[in-house]
Each structure stands twice: as structure tokens, then as C-alpha cells.
Amino acid sequence: MLASNVPTTLFMQAKTHTLLLHRFCSRLGLIAALLLALGANAQPNNWSEIKTPSSGPASAIGSPGNGCLAGAETLPEEGNGYVNIRRHRNRYYGHPELLRLIEDLGKTLGKSDALLMIGDLSQPRGGPMSSSHRSHQNGLDVDIWLPLATSAQAAQQAFPEGNNPPSLVSTDGTQIVSGWGKAQRLLLKTLAEDIRVDRLFINPAIKRTLCESEKENRNWLHKLRPWFGHDAHVHVRMKCPTSDKDCEAQAPLPAGNGCGSELAWWFSDEAKKPSKPTRPPKPPAIPPAACKALLHDH
Ligand SMILES: [Zn+2]
């Protein structure tokens, strides 16, 4: 009897331990969840949590890297000559002037079977994002992919989250290897010659290709700023609209077309192996006061 009770007792003990362990783990999970929630509250990304633009007149506030956007307009998922991809990110809000620019580009350059693919603009009220961009904060920035889409449906299916259009540039960053043609050149030229556009960020290899191929009018190359990445899309930045008094204009671009020593630097050993920063990192920028008000205006 006793002998037969031993395994039963052990089984009961083991069961009790398992139950206690299960409860302990559940509590641990609960505590972890609470800590995570507290952590999230300690450093909230409130700009991403806001789902609607503010009412009232549109105004780009602050700079693209430290700003926000009042009275944003919503870019439709599809328009004349363009399609907006990755709508689930909820970054399809912009200053009305940015939407007019996109619409004008679509009408001028897009075709029913060759649509411009529009990427991220800003969040409903701009502000910092949780991923992908440090700028795009004041409603004046937009990413436009360099490949064109044969249809809106094809674009949405071909490039879901995490699957970008292929890079146009070789892995060593020195030259264009595919995907470049008249349409891509025309897109960049049209944007650069638009008086509303302040600057365009593009891969150095793409700028170098244009510096070599443009023989007559090279003035428009001035607005093409070489930057890391940007090998399958161009980042478009508009000028501050004249009516937006809280918009901070960026420092003017250097004179000239930027095809000389400035561009050459991007292919130097120094550019490939950036030296470690000698200065301590800058403290986070203080958001403009008007942005704090906009964030809490529900
Ligand atoms: Zn961008």
C-alpha cells in the first residue's frame, strides 16, 4: 500500500510543483507585460499613435528632422498616374503643397501602365516615426521609388513590407547596374526643375551617372544631393511654403552642380570607412513648442 502510494505521492507533488511553476510563470509574464507597458509609457512614441490629422489650416512646423504638421491632407491610395504603397504604415499624410506636387508628377509622368510608386510621406500630424526615417516630420518629405509599376495591384503585391524594389546600384556602390532608363532620368529632372522642390537625396552612383551623361544643361544636377542608400528611391524635400511662418528652412545648398570634388568624396576610402565620431552625440533636439501643443490637441 505504502509502496504503491509512493509514485502517486510523487506524481501529486510533481503536479503541484508544475501548477505552482505555471502560476509563477504566468505572474512573471504579467509582470513583464506590466514592465513593458511602463517602459512604453516612459518613452512613448505618441506621434505614431495619433491616427488623425489636426483640423485647421495646414502648416509645416519646424524642420524635416525635428518638426510636425498641422492640417495635413490625406494622399489617396491611387491617383492619376501614381499609386501609394504600404498604406498599413499610416504615413500617407502631407502638406497640401506636397500632395499637389505628387498629383502634378503623376499627371505629367505617370501612365496607366507605368505608375509612379509613392512611398512614405508623414504621419497624420508628422513628428518622429518609430522606424525607417529620421526626417519626414513636417509634411514636406516624400519617398518616390525609381521603378515604375505596371498597375496599382501589381505594386501592392510586389512590394509588401520588407520587400523593397531592387537596388539600381552595384553592391560596391560604384555604378548603376539595372533599372535605369529615360523614365528615371525624367523623374529626377522634373523634380529638380520644380521650383517647389528644395533638394533630392539620391545614391552617389546615380548622381555620378548623371554628371557623366548630362552634357548640355547640368544646372538641375545642383539639387541632387548624394546620400547613403537611396539606390531604389529618391527622397524629395520641398521648400518651406511661404505662408508657413513656423517652418524652418534648411541651409542653402552649396553653389555649383556638385559633380566635382564633393561627389568624388563619396567614392573615397574615407567615405567607405567613416572614422569614429570624436565628439559626443548631440542631445535630442527639443521639439518646437507648436508641436507639443499639436501632439496634445485631441
Ligand atoms: Zn525619405
Side-chain angles (χ1 to χ4, degrees):
M1 191 72 179
L2 190 63
S4 65
N5 274 348
V6 170
T8 308
T9 310
L10 283 177
F11 173 74
M12 292 299 288
Q13 283 176 349
K15 199 175 172 189
T16 308
H17 285 152
T18 306
L19 192 66
L20 286 172
L21 190 65
H22 188 73
R23 280 185 189 157
F24 179 68
C25 288
S26 299
R27 279 179 192 156
L28 266 186
L30 190 65
I31 290 165
L34 280 170
L35 284 173
L36 272 175
L38 284 171
N41 282 339
Q43 203 171 29
N45 189 8
N46 288 323
W47 292 99
S48 307
E49 291 161 15
I50 295 177
K51 303 299 180 201
T52 55
S54 67
S55 55
S59 179
I61 301 165
S63 67
N66 182 29
C68 58
L69 172 65
E73 266 190 30
T74 305
L75 184 74
E77 186 167 359
E78 292 175 42
N80 194 346
Y82 72 85
V83 54
N84 177 222
I85 60 172
R86 297 179 183 162
R87 298 283 284 186
H88 64 275
R89 291 183 170 193
N90 203 34
R91 295 172 180 172
Y92 45 81
Y93 304 88
H95 193 284
E97 297 227 358
L98 180 61
L99 268 70
R100 299 296 87 76
L101 177 72
I102 294 168
E103 286 162 1
D104 291 348
L105 279 175
K107 282 178 199 158
T108 313
L109 303 178
K111 296 177 187 145
S112 58
D113 59 349
L115 301 170
L116 295 177
M117 285 196 287
I118 310 297
D120 287 351
L121 285 71
S122 292
Q123 299 173 136
R125 297 185 194 188
M129 297 179 184
S130 56
S131 61
S132 308
H133 311 281
R134 271 197 267 174
S135 54
H136 289 246
Q137 293 192 26
N138 66 351
L140 299 175
D141 287 1
V142 60
D143 291 333
I144 302 180
W145 294 97
L146 295 171
L148 300 172
T150 52
S151 73
Q153 194 184 18
Q156 304 290 10
Q157 286 175 353
F159 304 115
E161 192 68 56
N163 188 20
N164 290 341
S167 170
L168 276 64
V169 177
S170 58
T171 47
D172 66 359
T174 58
Q175 57 186 317
I176 292 178
V177 286
S178 64
W180 180 254
K182 285 180 185 171
Q184 287 67 37
R185 174 189 173 273
L186 187 59
L187 171 64
L188 297 183
K189 187 167 189 282
T190 305
L191 281 164
E193 289 182 336
D194 195 305
I195 196 168
R196 297 168 291 183
V197 172
D198 183 54
R199 61 196 69 195
L200 306 167
F201 296 98
I202 195 73
N203 187 276
I206 296 176
K207 169 125 187 179
R208 185 160 73 176
T209 295
L210 286 164
C211 285
E212 289 169 357
S213 61
E214 297 298 307
K215 302 293 183 198
E216 293 172 10
N217 170 18
R218 291 156 59 90
N219 292 340
W220 63 276
L221 303 179
H222 171 71
K223 283 191 192 172
L224 265 57
R225 308 298 299 154
W227 201 250
F228 303 101
H230 297 81
D231 49 20
H233 77 275
V234 54
H235 177 130
V236 183
R237 175 162 298 158
M238 293 188 81
K239 292 174 185 166
C240 278
T242 47
S243 58
D244 293 13
K245 302 301 175 205
D246 290 327
C247 185
E248 284 175 36
Q250 288 208 278
L253 296 174
N257 57 31
C259 288
S261 57
E262 186 199 348
L263 180 62
W265 179 85
W266 286 91
F267 301 95
S268 68
D269 289 342
E270 187 186 9
K272 286 174 198 157
K273 294 175 190 167
S275 55
K276 286 182 183 171
T278 50
R279 280 179 288 180
K282 285 185 193 170
I286 298 167
C291 290
K292 287 184 194 166
L294 193 68
L295 181 60
H296 297 110
D297 170 26
H298 292 294

